[in-house]
Amino acid sequence: MSRPHLEALRREGYAPRTLLDVGAHLGEFTQGFLEVFPGCLPTLIEPNPHCREALLRLPFERHAVAASDGAGTGVLFLSKDWLQSTGSSLYRENTAYFDDETAIRHEVEKARIDDLLAGRQFDFVKIDTQGSELDVLVGGETVLAKADFILIEVALVDYNLGGAQAEDIFAKMAQMGFRCADVMEFSRFPQVQDNALLQIDVLFERADRLRRPESRPVGARADEVLALAERLFNEERPADAQVLFEHLLGGTHDYAAWVGLSRCHLAAGRGLEALRALVRAKAITPDIQALWPLIQQQTAYGSQVFNRHISLGEIALAEPYASVMADLMPGGVQMVSAAMGCHQALGQMDQALAFARRLNVLDPSHAGALTLLADEARARGDQAAEIRHRAVLAVSPDKDIHPLVRLRDFHEAMSLLLCRPLADADIALLSSLAAEVPNVAVGDLLSDPEWADWVHHYRALLGALDIASIVEPTPPPAADPPAQYLTATGQALDTAGLQALADRLAVNVVFFAAADEKYVEQYGRWYALSVLRHSDVSSLVVIHVIGGGERLAQAVKAVGVTDERLIFVGDDFEASAVLTRCYDAPPKGLIALPVAHFQSVRFQRLGGLLQTLGRPIFVSDIDLLLQRGVSDLLQTWVQADVVFNENGKNLAAGSRITANLLLVNPTANAIRLFAYLRAYLDDRLGREVVTRWIDQVALLLGRHHLMRHVPDAVLGCFDTTSDINNIMFESYQEHPFRFLSLYHGFDTSSLENDPRVLGPEAS
């Protein structure tokens, strides 16, 4: 907007008290505006870090954020050729000045004006944000709607990719109650879009700006009314003075009228109304220092009332005081925090979130605001924002955060990152979070039975998140000891014999499960029969009996299925020799049996079996039933390396991938994955403490390891609505799933008596 246009407004009697410059750049517009309106108080918003030094030289209020329609972070496009370019924007400029060779992406904080400057009033607003003008309006509608004039740069072409369209800006301004008052500067560049008209500066005026009641006093008469109101107030006649102050509102003495009203309300004991009037006065004050004594007086009074209501548990009565004082002193962390807490306690979550966003700008490590913002981000499915908030929350310096809550925050932040593909920045953040975990001082919690199991659970789980192993080279495959197999028909086989059997039977797929002798006896029969009955391709069933290497014949007898397609193998594992403590979440806590070792054996031994048989393998829990064929599943994933059972709704690192089913094809990438799993599990199971979920953590980390080292690896997921259910049942019931999980107390008679499942020959 040129100086002549500003001077024309001044000649019409316009005298703005406040200016908001959104997209301030180096402050050129503000300085030119002040030459015409020297009494105006400016506030500047500019996200470009390369403009900050110049703006710091100006004695004005500044905010180094990008005004937008939401809080969080965004990418600001800068130009290598001119770091202070006027084309810097959240929407990349569609010109050669910001092509792939020149453009730099810089992460910046975003904020809504309604959060950043809540309760404020700006008479004149300039918005020049290179494409994000509509976002600015949406995020600042409440504050901006109070302005007399809003000057906006409007693009007439696709100047910024995805940026605001002219018709949308005009529609939004009309909806906010503004009309087009004038069209100012016209922008063309000879080398851009064939010298077409690119942008225009449009001055919008609030439609009701000049509608003043005819009874309002003007000029000398207004001065006389103001003087009379002051005299009446000094004569202790606040009610009479109030009538005159209200009469002055909407005229040239707005500021004095609001100040007078505030004093009248306070004198009459209406503290809340006094504070609200003071907020209106502060928004248009020409001299904040002169107003400061009154602000201090009234906030002292307001704080006393607020504290009294809080002490009596009267949150609903305390909230209005907290909210208005937060508006009166928007930079005061304590009162903004109090307002957020009151609204949260009252269940007024939209208002609580608005204060949380303001608080996050003032104090980026404020635990209460971060928690609220993280929960809100999760609710709207914005995982990136939730990760950011939870990560900051985990390392928050707030000493009042309970150590267990801090451990939980670390777990949630790291889990969120691990539940999505990892970029280098994610690895760096995970590494820094992991390095901070040991610094959480659990103090006396370990001696308190109420908390100790939770501490052990989180420490074991967080300790399992070995981020370095994701990026380190894949360990070489470990060699298994010579294995001795036994068929269900009593034939002993070595590795070569097993290969020969698979070749003779033209085996297409292998089903592999591992369990201790008790579980093999309990579930092995139904697992084997379900596969042998329902697999529609030639199959082998291999059951690894943990600790039962010398007693395979007893396992064969206990399972009671006589079929050469059923194979048993074992090891010399001795559960009583395990010293590693295994922790689950309370109420289970410390588990007496080495269940982490039991659950991990199948993944430790799978690599060797995969290389021995060279066929696809379904790896599963032993308490699983196959209910229908798998040929279509094998065909669907014939090109895959590994197919996981991923629970997309679960955001915990130990539960994202469920270990009850895995499909592995005999590829080099799969062999690599299981070399990683073997090394990782061998290491973790040999430590003093292990999490009960170590196998599922291993699968999650292993997938990241493989994706990082072999980006073109083909990884798939089962359909959790038809392939594999993730709920266990105590008795058989028909389901749409081909794999059905059984509860450890499963009623086997429900299978014995139901020929639909395994047929009459099964028993």
Side-chain angles (χ1 to χ4, degrees), residues 275 278-279 282 295 298-299 323-330:
L275 286 163
L278 197 55
V279 169
K282 181 175 180 285
I295 292 175
Q298 294 206 16
T299 51
S323 296
V324 73
M325 287 192 290
D327 289 341
L328 189 59
M329 295 190 297

Side-chain angles (χ1 to χ4, degrees), residues 486-488 490 517 545 548-560 568:
L486 185 65
T487 70
E517 291 173 274
V545 186
E550 301 297 324
R551 295 179 294 279
L552 292 183
Q554 290 92 316
V556 171
K557 183 178 179 181
V559 170
F568 292 83

Side-chain angles (χ1 to χ4, degrees), residues 339-345 348-357 372:
M340 178 190 74
C342 286
H343 283 292
Q344 192 172 2
Q348 299 165 350
M349 298 312 296
D350 287 345
Q351 296 93 322
L353 282 165
F355 282 108
R357 294 186 187 99
L372 198 58

Side-chain angles (χ1 to χ4, degrees), residues 665-688:
N665 280 319
T667 66
N669 291 336
I671 296 295
R672 182 171 192 157
L673 170 64
F674 287 97
Y676 169 88
L677 290 177
R678 176 67 178 270
Y680 173 85
L681 289 168
D682 285 352
D683 171 54
R684 294 288 155 175
L685 294 170
R687 299 195 178 194
E688 292 184 5

Side-chain angles (χ1 to χ4, degrees), residues 569-585:
V569 67
D571 58 38
D572 59 358
F573 179 79
E574 180 55 60
S576 61
V578 174
L579 300 178
T580 303
R581 300 190 303 279
C582 178
Y583 285 99
D584 199 348

Side-chain angles (χ1 to χ4, degrees), residues 383-448:
Q383 193 176 100
E386 186 183 1
I387 288 170
R388 183 176 64 256
H389 294 313
R390 298 231 186 261
V392 177
L393 188 60
V395 296
S396 168
D398 189 341
K399 293 183 173 56
D400 293 330
I401 300 178
H402 192 282
L404 189 57
V405 174
R406 195 180 292 279
L407 287 175
R408 182 207 64 190
D409 290 336
F410 272 107
H411 174 252
E412 292 204 8
M414 296 180 73
S415 290
L416 283 168
L417 285 164
L418 287 166
C419 287
R420 67 176 195 171
L422 295 178
D424 288 345
D426 297 321
I427 292 286
L429 179 54
L430 279 165
S431 299
S432 64
L433 288 171
E436 288 291 330
V437 171
N439 297 329
V440 178
V442 294
D444 298 328
L445 294 183
L446 292 175
S447 60
D448 186 337

Side-chain angles (χ1 to χ4, degrees), residues 569-624:
V569 67
D571 58 38
D572 59 358
F573 179 79
E574 180 55 60
S576 61
V578 174
L579 300 178
T580 303
R581 300 190 303 279
C582 178
Y583 285 99
D584 199 348
K588 293 182 179 179
L590 180 63
I591 303 175
L593 291 173
V595 294
H597 293 69
F598 290 160
Q599 292 168 173
S600 299
V601 166
R602 53 190 154 163
F603 302 115
Q604 292 172 291
R605 297 301 177 94
L606 181 59
L609 188 64
L610 192 64
Q611 289 180 298
T612 296
L613 292 174
R615 289 163 169 84
I617 299 180
F618 282 104
V619 193
S620 72
D621 290 343
I622 199 168
D623 51 349
L624 206 70

